[in-house]
Amino acid sequence: LDISHFTTDKVQRMSYMFDGCKKLAALDVNKFNTNNVTTMAYMFRDCHKITSLDLSKNTALTDLICRGNNLTSLDISKNTSLTYLNCINNNISTLDISNNAVLTELYCMENCLTSLDVSKNIALSELNCGFNNLNTLDVSNNTALTILICWVNKLTSLDVTKNTALTELGCAANNITSLDLSKNITLSGLNCSFNDLTSLDVNKNIALYELDCSFNNLTTLDLSKNTALTYLNCNNNNINSLVVEKNTV
């Protein structure tokens, strides 16, 4: 696709520009004047055959959606204004976001990540890194997080004691053996199914209205303080004591 004649010096939004171009394998946008471009949302979504993106000149970029491609790497080190990144469903093995200090939403699920460093991204409010190969995930610096989805990884532990603003936590299908939720009093949705939990204390989580703790090794579950609960799945455990006497679930 020859786009060398495109004039873009006054363009501010490039959203959906090549969305769904499934036969597009290569695209040279180096001659694009993107000084005024702030969003490329869905610009390269579901192109499938694109293996690389050069965004080094798009320094004003705030939004990028490049999901559903065949990217093996993504360099956003020059995109320091980026607040929203969606690179779901690629083949990315490493993702360096250390220069993206104002990033608030990151969706990098369905990739090949074995590690993810979010220690510099203190503005993050939503993180979805599910369906990767993560062994560890440190979110202790991400105190603004409200939504954390990290299911289908290889985590054996997860510390969310510093994430007091969390309202939704999805950590299903890992190998987590314990989960301290005592500081997450605003938590309303929790899916910790398919782990190795032997106990689960949700007494402090009085805002909880959805809980899925199925397929663990729980023997007791006290829900007496969780009066807002409307959905509960605790199947496939070893529960011999289930306290729901003050609950209307």
Side-chain angles (χ1 to χ4, degrees):
L1 181 63
D2 182 8
I3 56 174
S4 59
H5 59 287
F6 283 22
T7 302
T8 61
D9 56 310
K10 295 182 179 180
V11 176
Q12 293 180 320
R13 301 176 64 86
M14 289 185 171
S15 303
Y16 299 94
M17 196 170 184
F18 305 105
D19 182 22
C21 296
K22 297 180 180 179
K23 294 184 179 180
L24 188 64
L27 189 65
D28 185 359
V29 295
N30 281 327
K31 293 183 180 179
F32 272 15
N33 184 337
T34 57
N35 289 335
N36 295 315
V37 174
T38 58
T39 179
M40 290 181 175
Y42 299 100
M43 183 177 178
F44 304 105
R45 181 182 65 169
D46 294 329
C47 291
H48 295 322
K49 292 185 179 180
I50 290 181
T51 58
S52 63
L53 282 178
D54 183 356
L55 303 169
S56 58
K57 296 180 180 179
N58 310 104
T59 54
L61 193 62
T62 60
D63 297 78
L64 174 62
I65 298 176
C66 53
R67 63 177 296 171
N69 284 287
N70 197 24
L71 299 175
T72 56
S73 63
L74 183 62
D75 184 355
I76 51 173
S77 58
K78 299 294 196 301
N79 313 106
T80 55
S81 298
L82 204 63
T83 60
Y84 181 98
L85 174 60
N86 184 329
C87 56
I88 290 173
N89 190 20
N90 279 281
N91 293 307
I92 299 170
S93 57
T94 60
L95 187 62
D96 184 356
I97 51 176
S98 58
N99 287 346
N100 310 102
V102 295
L103 196 65
T104 58
E105 296 181 54
L106 173 59
Y107 304 92
C108 56
M109 67 183 295
E110 296 176 17
N111 276 287
C112 305
L113 298 174
T114 56
S115 63
L116 183 64
D117 185 354
V118 291
S119 60
K120 299 293 199 315
N121 312 100
I122 59 175
L124 266 184
S125 61
E126 296 189 24
L127 172 59
N128 188 330
C129 55
F131 292 90
N132 278 287
N133 295 307
L134 301 177
N135 292 305
T136 61
L137 182 63
D138 184 353
V139 289
S140 57
N141 285 351
N142 310 103
T143 56
L145 269 182
T146 58
I147 298 176
L148 173 59
I149 306 296
C150 54
W151 47 40
V152 194
N153 276 287
K154 297 178 180 179
L155 304 177
T156 56
S157 63
L158 182 65
D159 185 355
V160 289
T161 56
K162 299 292 197 305
N163 312 105
T164 56
L166 268 186
T167 59
E168 182 180 346
L169 174 59
C171 56
N174 279 284
N175 300 306
I176 298 170
T177 56
S178 64
L179 195 59
D180 184 354
L181 303 171
S182 59
K183 301 293 194 299
N184 311 105
I185 59 174
T186 60
L187 196 65
S188 57
L190 172 63
N191 187 338
C192 56
S193 60
F194 291 92
N195 276 288
D196 296 319
L197 299 174
T198 56
S199 64
L200 183 65
D201 186 350
V202 289
N203 282 329
K204 300 287 179 62
N205 313 106
I206 58 174
L208 202 63
Y209 65 84
E210 289 187 3
L211 172 60
D212 188 342
C213 56
S214 59
F215 291 90
N216 277 283
N217 297 309
L218 303 178
T219 56
T220 62
L221 186 61
D222 183 356
L223 302 174
S224 59
K225 302 290 178 60
N226 309 101
T227 55
L229 204 61
T230 60
Y231 174 83
L232 169 64
N233 185 355
C234 56
N235 290 331
N236 292 88
N237 279 282
N238 299 308
I239 295 176
N240 53 45
S241 176
L242 178 62
V243 181
V244 291
E245 57 194 27
K246 297 180 181 179
N247 203 292
T248 57
V249 66

